[in-house]
Amino acid sequence: MKFLRELAKKPWLTRGLAVGTDLGGVAHHRPSIAATGLWFYIGVATVMFSLIVAAYVLRLGNYGADPASVAAATSSRPWWTLAALCGIPPADDWQPMAEPALLWMNTGILIVSSIAWQMARSDVRHGRMDKLPFTLIAGGVLAFLFLAGQLMVWRQLVDGGQFAAASPAYAFFYLITAMHGLHLLGGLIFWGLTTTKVMQGAKAGDVKTDVNLCAIYWHYLLIIWIVMFVLLLIT
Amino acid sequence: MRFAIVIVLLVIGSLIFHFVSPWRQTPIASNWGEIDNALTITFWVCGIVFVALNLFLAYCVYKFRHRKGLKATYEPENMALEKQLTVWTAVGIVVMLAPGLLAWNKYITVPDDASIVEAVGQQWQWSFRFPGDDGVLGAVATENISADNPFGINPDDPWGIDDILVDGGELHLPIDQPVKIVLRSNDVLHNFYVPQFRAKMDLVPGTITYIWLIPTRTGTFEILCAEYCGVGHYVMRGYVVVDEVDEYESWLSDYPTYGQTIADAAIEIGAP
Amino acid sequence: MSYSTIAEDTRPLHHPKTWVGKYVWSQDHKVIALQYTITAVSVGLVALVLSGLMRLQLGFPGMIQFITPEAYYQFVTMHGMIMVIYLLTALLLGGFGNYMIPLMIGARDMVFPYVNMLSFWVYLLSVIVLMASFFVPGGPTGAGWTLYPPQAITAGTPGATWGIILMLASLAIFIVAFTMGGLNYVTTVLQARTRGMTLMRMPCTVWGIFVATILGLLAFPALLVAAVMMMLDRLIGTSFFMPSIISMGEPLAHSGGSPILFQHLFWFFGHPEVYIVALPAFGIVSDLISTHARKNIFGYRMMVWAIIIIGGLSFVVWAHHMYVSGMNPYFGFFFATSTLIIAVPTAIKVYNWILTLWRGDIHLRVPMLFAIGFIFTFIHGGLTGLFLGNVSVDVPLSDTYFVVGHFHMVMGVSPILVVFGAIYHWYPKITGRMWNKMLGQLHFWITFIGVYLIYLPMHYLGLLGVPRRYYEMGDTDFVPASAQWANEAITVAALTVGVAQLIFFYNLIHSYFKGPKADPNPWGATSLEWQTPQTPPVHGNWGPTLPTVYRWAYDYSVPGAAQDFIPQNVPPEDMAQDHETRGPAVVEE
């Protein structure tokens, strides 16, 4: 709303510094530069994952060519109508994937990793710099463990003959886990930078933003993973 | 000065070009006069705007060209004027959009009495299938396609046995009768495009699309592929011949049904 | 008061010592901008040559032996993709965005200089991967720039073995580069504006680039997803976009995928992409017109709102590229309506450009020639867009030369005219030298008249029904012999325009070494980039203190002022007084 009010201003009427009349321009209350960048990136990633979900749902909506089965399918699963609306063609090759039990464990690990980051956040806020390295390392190692777990799921599936080409459900599973894993790997780069700083004895003030933003990013990736996992489970 | 003259000349030149150029729409051969009407309305609205805006532009460039002592007016905005312009633009848009949407509504609503014919696209040729006496096209699947069954008709489907198969890229249609052309592709995207019919639609592998029309004049019209489909795209041609009804029927009777092609194949195999 | 701290504290600047550090691994936004520009223009020249070869084939079929159908379709594809993505997007955002944003908002650099540098190098990598596809077996992909599956990855399309893989990889790399750059641009605009630079005091150029960058950030993921999924279909045999089909007589292993799904993803990116190119051009041309007409941009607020509204609407019009694609036909009603609604804010922009000239004091310098040329071509291209957006009118015209004429007018010629105008406009600031006026005018007249001669007849060939992407028409009943004359004339015009660009490059290069020294503010412009202490601006842009902004960017011909322009950093009371001693002032008028 502040933004809209700003847009309604007639800038030719106000000359001078215009203190307090604008968004930014003067430096009262601006979030940090890195935070702005991160939130924009979260926007970008959200669009990307949403489009994968949309593609998933549309591909899922490929129901049998027989009109009766179309009607039955769309009435029992309303979201399938979306595919029909978009003119996505009929096919009936959707096989729900077997959900490896390991996925539940991986989800748990990622949750604990996020909790570790939340603890690191609180450590840095309260200046507990002695504890911080441990919570940070816990957060990062757990994330690596999650990635290793995901790789193990891949191994299990491949050993069981479930390649990406086997069925669209598997194709999407590999795609989603790969995209999510790459995002987590990107986060781990910043985890490495931050942890190094802390190990080298940085003060709380120097790493506060880094830890905060990493934690936000971790929580974001946890939410994305849970959404994707639920999507895999219910279909 | 020079620039203003050039703009005026470009406007006049464009108008002359519009009226004397030999390249205009082909004489229509279907019922889609509405599409042409919507196009004509769009031409008029856009043409008037094109001339008016550019002449005003030329006038400004000429009238307010820099001379010694000339000073620009200071006027940040004029909301009243902008609102008026917005309203008039919106009116122009509605004038164009309304006939367009009405024509589209008709375009996608197939009349009940339309007969059916299927056009099949495959790199880089056309073939056609009529539903035969029962008026229903038999079920098809890509998996069924073979040298003996190029249309991929399901041999177990009773609706398919009397389907009439037309290979060779020439389709005949009876004049003045609505026809729904069902479109199917065996490989990649194609587009069934006959300029004189105005109608056009993609063929999408994995799904069935359609157009419908009423041929309104007899003659031979070329079918072109209008969706890029690989290196032979430009040679993917066929013909539609619009006939009087009896000529059409005699043409159609020359072609075998699917049942006959199976029988012929069986004879060939069985022959010593 | 601590309001100056953030604006001043952009962290210590990275000051390289060596030539390599300064010009190769540079973190200075101006050097990165030039790196982007030079790369984009170089690859654009390749695309220009390809278009010349295509025109030779169309105008004089069979004259040149090596232009086989395969080669022709490869040229079509590479020309389109390079021009849209690797030239226009990279040049307008990576080039102009990088150079102009920090200077126009009074910042020392982009907020993430290191990421900015990476962005360029990753972009260069994407260009190299793309160019490499000319040298792989089978050559570059000939799938058309829209890369529609199944055709893009099946036999029967040139480059379906290697070319398409490199194309998809290159696009994915480009998107990574763009995202790194884009995050920088938006964050810089939001966070690094100098004191007094409110959002509504930013020049239209910054607004256009800012909104276009947001569009890019939100639209490119769709292309990334589509590219990755197609890559998987091609490489490991998934069926995202591939239904079960017979290719060249052989059944393929795919089944159940949807080619239309790809089209939805592609155009969800592809339509905003049009505005990613157009909005920066809209912004830049607004500033050129205002500066050279010595008058504020008419209806500044409307112009900003229009940019934002167009940007928002551009995400709900994508399927107007798909009216005859076989998607659900009822979509036609919605997308035709939303498409024609977007015409309203666009028309407002055109009115306001012309109304800026109205009662102005028009200096017809070379940048202004290009700006007015843009208004003409954009009116033409915008109006023909109404034909194609209006669903049933689109039916006979889609996939004909009308479409080719339309999009070249609206997103080829128009932004390129702005790019030329902008280069002439800012060249004196960027190099410190002035170009040759005669050559600039010659370049303008040949280009402007030439492009109209190229594209106007194309619309009429399309009206006749000549389909696009035809290697040759051959004998076609409804096409009169005269259509071939049109094609010959178009080819001659196209080659002339193409060759005339040498004048431009000669002028730029020659003037860089031999041109007269330029005035720091030769056009009497108000915006901050003209107020730098040095010309060309040095690393850090502003010397010891950042400029302070006291007014909007359009104080031209203000009544009672001594000059016909007042720069943004001139304090309001009295221009003669030294504002350093008075301290920052707050004046409400």
Side-chain angles (χ1 to χ4, degrees), chain C residues 206-353:
Chain C
V206 179
W207 268 110
I209 293 172
F210 175 58
V211 175
T213 308
I214 294 179
L215 294 192
L217 288 173
L218 300 182
F220 271 113
L223 182 63
L224 179 74
V225 170
V228 170
M229 285 162 73
M230 201 200 290
M231 188 82 109
L232 294 175
D233 278 1
R234 165 69 184 76
L235 286 178
I236 60 172
T238 55
S239 302
F240 291 111
F241 305 134
M242 298 292 283
S244 82
I245 61 171
I246 307 282
S247 174
M248 301 286 134
E250 294 296 320
L252 300 187
H254 303 279
S255 78
S258 165
I260 292 185
L261 176 57
F262 175 87
Q263 297 181 25
H264 279 298
L265 285 172
F266 182 86
W267 289 113
F268 186 81
F269 145 76
H271 196 77
E273 169 63 28
V274 174
Y275 290 99
I276 292 167
V277 171
L279 291 181
F282 289 176
I284 291 170
V285 83
S286 303
D287 288 350
L288 297 194
I289 291 171
S290 168
T291 305
H292 296 280
R294 315 309 298 154
K295 191 166 167 247
N296 62 280
I297 189 74
F298 187 83
Y300 171 79
R301 294 194 299 162
M302 272 289 202
M303 294 303 256
V304 171
W305 299 344
I307 286 179
I308 296 171
I309 291 170
I310 291 171
L313 285 177
S314 73
F315 281 100
V316 292
V317 297
W318 79 88
H320 68 212
H321 297 266
M322 298 169 60
Y323 288 144
V324 294
S325 72
M327 68 170 178
N328 185 312
Y330 290 95
F331 273 20
F333 295 109
F334 172 79
F335 283 100
T337 309
S338 61
T339 301
L340 266 64
I341 288 174
I342 214 171
V344 177
T346 314
I348 296 291
K349 293 196 76 76
V350 174
Y351 302 149
N352 283 358
W353 288 323

Side-chain angles (χ1 to χ4, degrees), chain A residues 3 6-19 21-28 30-34 36-38 40-41 43-45 47-49 51-52 54-56 58-59 62 82 84-91 93 164-166 168 171-172 175 179, chain C residues 1 3 6 111-112 179 183 186-187 190-201 207 217-218 221-222 224-225 228-229 232 236-240 255-258 260-261 264-265 268 300-301 304-305 308 327-328 331 548-552 555 572 584-585 587-589:
Chain A
F3 181 68
E6 183 66 27
L7 288 183
K9 296 243 170 72
K10 297 180 176 174
W12 55 90
L13 294 182
T14 321
R15 297 199 174 84
L17 258 184
V19 175
T21 60
D22 57 294
L23 268 184
V26 285
H28 59 77
R30 286 194 202 175
S32 85
I33 285 167
T36 310
L38 175 69
F40 265 101
Y41 185 70
V44 173
V47 173
M48 197 200 72
F49 284 111
L51 287 168
I52 294 180
Y56 186 94
L58 293 176
R59 185 66 178 74
N62 282 356
L82 188 61
L85 271 176
C86 293
I88 304 292
D93 61 338
F172 270 105
L175 177 68
M179 285 293 188
Chain C
M1 258 184 140
Y3 53 69
I6 285 189
V111 291
F112 310 119
T179 306
L183 290 173
V186 289
T187 313
L190 287 177
Q191 297 292 329
R193 277 169 290 133
T194 188
R195 241 196 298 174
M197 179 61 86
T198 65
L199 286 175
M200 293 302 273
R201 281 177 175 175
W207 268 110
L217 288 173
L218 300 182
L224 179 74
V225 170
V228 170
M229 285 162 73
L232 294 175
I236 60 172
T238 55
S239 302
F240 291 111
S255 78
S258 165
I260 292 185
L261 176 57
H264 279 298
L265 285 172
F268 186 81
Y300 171 79
R301 294 194 299 162
V304 171
W305 299 344
I308 296 171
M327 68 170 178
N328 185 312
F331 273 20
T548 304
V549 168
Y550 297 96
R551 56 187 73 240
W552 70 331
D555 263 348
V587 174
E588 302 276 336
E589 283 183 17

Side-chain angles (χ1 to χ4, degrees), chain B residues 12-24 43-44, chain C residues 460:
Chain B
I12 295 172
S14 307
L15 289 178
I16 294 175
F17 188 83
H18 178 76
F19 288 107
V20 307
S21 98
W23 313 304
R24 44 192 60 257
F43 251 121
W44 276 103
Chain C
Y460 288 86

Side-chain angles (χ1 to χ4, degrees), chain B residues 57-78:
Chain B
L57 173 68
Y59 172 75
C60 289
V61 171
Y62 165 71
K63 172 86 187 188
F64 304 106
R65 70 192 184 280
H66 175 67
R67 284 148 291 163
K68 225 177 167 56
L70 180 69
K71 195 165 183 324
T73 315
Y74 183 77
E75 188 187 20
E77 71 178 14
N78 181 342

